[in-house]
Amino acid sequence: MRKLLVYLFFFLGCSVAVAQVRSSEEALAFQYYQNGEYEKAAVIYKKLFGQKNNISLYDQYYNTLLKIKAYDEAEKLVQKQLKNDPDNYVYAVDIGRLYQESGRNEKAKEWFENLIRNLSPNEFAIRDLATNLYRAEAYDLAIKTFLAGRKVLNNDDAFAFDLLGLYRFRKDKAMLVHEYLNVLSKNPEVLLQAQSVIGNVFEENADYDLLKAAVLRRLQKDPQNIGLTEILTWSFIQQKDFDMALRQIIALDKRLKEEGDRVYDFSVVLLNNEAFETAVDALNYLISKGEDNRFYIPARIDLINAKSQLLISGKLDTKELVILENEYKTLLGEFGKNSRTAFAIRKLASLQAFHLNKLKEAEGLLEELLTISGLAPQVIAQIKLELGDIYILTGEVWEANLIYGQVEKQFANEPVGQEAKFRNGKLSYYRGDFTWAKAQLDVLKSSTSQLIANDALNLSLLIADNLWNETDSAALKMYAKADMLISINKTHEALKLLDSIDATYPGHSLTDDILMSRARLFIQQADYESAAVSLQKIIDDHSFDLWADDAIFTLADIFERKLQQPEKAKQLYQRIINDHPGSLYVIEARKRFRNLRGDKVG
């Protein structure tokens, strides 16, 4: 018994030793392969593979033989494996690869076509062949296998997602569209995935034209298909053809007898994209559904706001503004002044204060609004900030200071409180108390709101850069006054004052600031050509000054959205990304650059 145990331990020890030797040899062969020393790797793999036909080493051995062009030896290896396992497509595909590697292309083509031609009606086997062809980088043959597999299985929907993956990888836009439309026809829930994939593959407007043409052909045969209609709508939105998109959405709303959810959601998209005219059409449709519809009140409010934006974004017409004012009043007459209509009350007050010079009416509206119950604390804070702005208009500076202070104290560590502190600092700046203003602004440079921090930093630097001598300080007082006139919408007086600074104080240090202020005033008046001239002057003459990145981004925005010159906009967005990597505008510039390039619209 003792002898038997000795022999057993000896045998096990030898087995472990052999396994360890084999493992180290495998590691050495792999290292040779990695280093490109294929001849040395081949010797070891041949030895190891010959020991009990070690299948786990087949791939390494076969690929090593191809690397050293030992085609005869590789053919013997793979033919033997295929004979032992005739249903294994790994070996079948490797024979075709061998023919290609050795220059027998016609034989390879015939071999692969024969494999595809003789597919069995077995989904697993079809996918196995396609997968091995994909691993061999024979992507077109993998696609051909899946398409042939559909015929064999008599199922036109089979392998849809396999094919989508291959078409996406190959960037075959036409076939990607074709396959997605097949899937969407029966599975509308795939819409979000289709949008994401297509949006990432498409590069230009012509790609979306291809999609629209394909969808419209399908809809002629299947006009009631929801999935097709939704992808068509999406393609219109990507090209910012909002009118056509709205037609499709309204048609879908009617066809499905919906409550207007998708129309209202789209109206928000339109407002965010400043497509106010189309937004008006969308909101009018919702209002036409009647007072019982849950979107009736929000649509009424948004409609007036859209009209307000239409007027304010162009040259103002007092008659139309009065009509708009009356529409707000009618709305409030119908639904009363309460927490649900607070947004409309605030809009009416802004219209009266900043565009109709009805300061006391606007002030009274907001003061009354503050007495209404049910308002959220954050909303109350915003109303107080707006009321403070109107107090500045009416000359009640101390009242403005007091109400800003209330918000600052109540919301000390929140963005709205920091905004109140910033407005108080700006109020001191308007009044010419630059030292106190700068002290408040410097505190805000570490604000949790990046926008407030950036604005505070800019204004603090403006003050610091223009207090070096008596001339600069005097020029800054005039500039601060012009800045206040801009804030209260007195554009003509502001422009006149800005123009006079150069004449009164030649050689002052505010040139780029004045150019930026002029540009913003011109934008307010919809005079985009004049705004572009001022912005370009900042870019050309003050490229290292404070307003350089603001000027580049603002000019890009004008070229993109107002002057319809996307190529110029794209160049400027690229300049922000390259030349101003630390700018607040980098993320948005990158997004817009990609949209203009055709990557995807968010």
Side-chain angles (χ1 to χ4, degrees), residues 171-210:
K171 283 200 170 184
D172 188 338
K173 297 168 188 175
M175 289 308 297
L176 185 69
V177 166
H178 173 80
E179 197 63 41
Y180 260 125
L181 295 188
N182 282 344
V183 174
L184 279 167
S185 296
K186 295 162 188 175
N187 301 294
E189 64 273 11
V190 179
L191 178 66
L192 288 177
Q193 184 204 66
Q195 290 171 353
S196 175
V197 172
I198 290 172
N200 282 318
V201 172
F202 280 10
E203 298 165 316
E204 55 190 2
N205 277 333
D207 297 333
Y208 288 100
D209 291 337
L210 179 151

Side-chain angles (χ1 to χ4, degrees), residues 24 32 75 88 136 149 164 183-184 194 212 245 265 347 366 370 387 400 444 459 464 485 504 551-552 569 598 602:
S24 63
Y32 282 143
E75 188 165 357
N88 193 325
L164 284 169
V183 174
L184 279 167
K212 286 189 296 189
D265 289 344
K347 284 288 186 180
L366 292 184
L370 287 172
L387 183 56
L444 287 168
L459 189 52
L485 290 170
T504 309
I552 295 169

Side-chain angles (χ1 to χ4, degrees), residues 237-339:
I237 293 171
Q238 300 314 290
Q239 292 184 296
K240 297 197 174 182
D241 188 348
F242 296 127
D243 288 337
M244 287 300 296
L246 179 60
R247 285 188 205 176
Q248 296 297 324
I249 290 170
I250 288 175
L252 207 52
D253 183 81
K254 289 178 177 177
R255 188 187 312 162
L256 300 177
K257 297 180 180 176
E258 293 181 336
E259 292 291 308
D261 296 68
R262 68 180 75 228
V263 180
Y264 186 74
D265 289 344
F266 186 51
S267 75
V268 174
V269 173
L270 293 169
L271 292 170
N272 289 337
N273 281 273
E274 299 181 16
F276 300 119
E277 291 179 3
T278 311
V280 166
D281 292 337
L283 295 164
N284 275 327
Y285 171 76
L286 290 169
I287 291 166
S288 72
K289 283 179 168 283
E291 295 182 25
D292 293 335
N293 184 272
R294 62 195 173 94
F295 293 109
Y296 181 76
I297 294 177
R300 285 283 302 273
I301 293 170
D302 286 349
L303 177 63
I304 299 172
N305 291 333
K307 288 181 177 178
S308 174
Q309 289 297 328
L310 269 174
L311 294 171
I312 292 168
S313 63
K315 293 189 176 178
L316 302 180
D317 183 315
T318 305
K319 261 190 206 177
E320 290 175 311
L321 289 176
V322 170
I323 292 170
L324 187 60
E325 179 192 28
N326 289 331
E327 287 185 5
Y328 274 121
K329 287 179 176 179
T330 301
L331 182 93
L332 294 172
E334 280 185 51
F335 302 107
K337 294 175 184 174
N338 50 59
S339 58

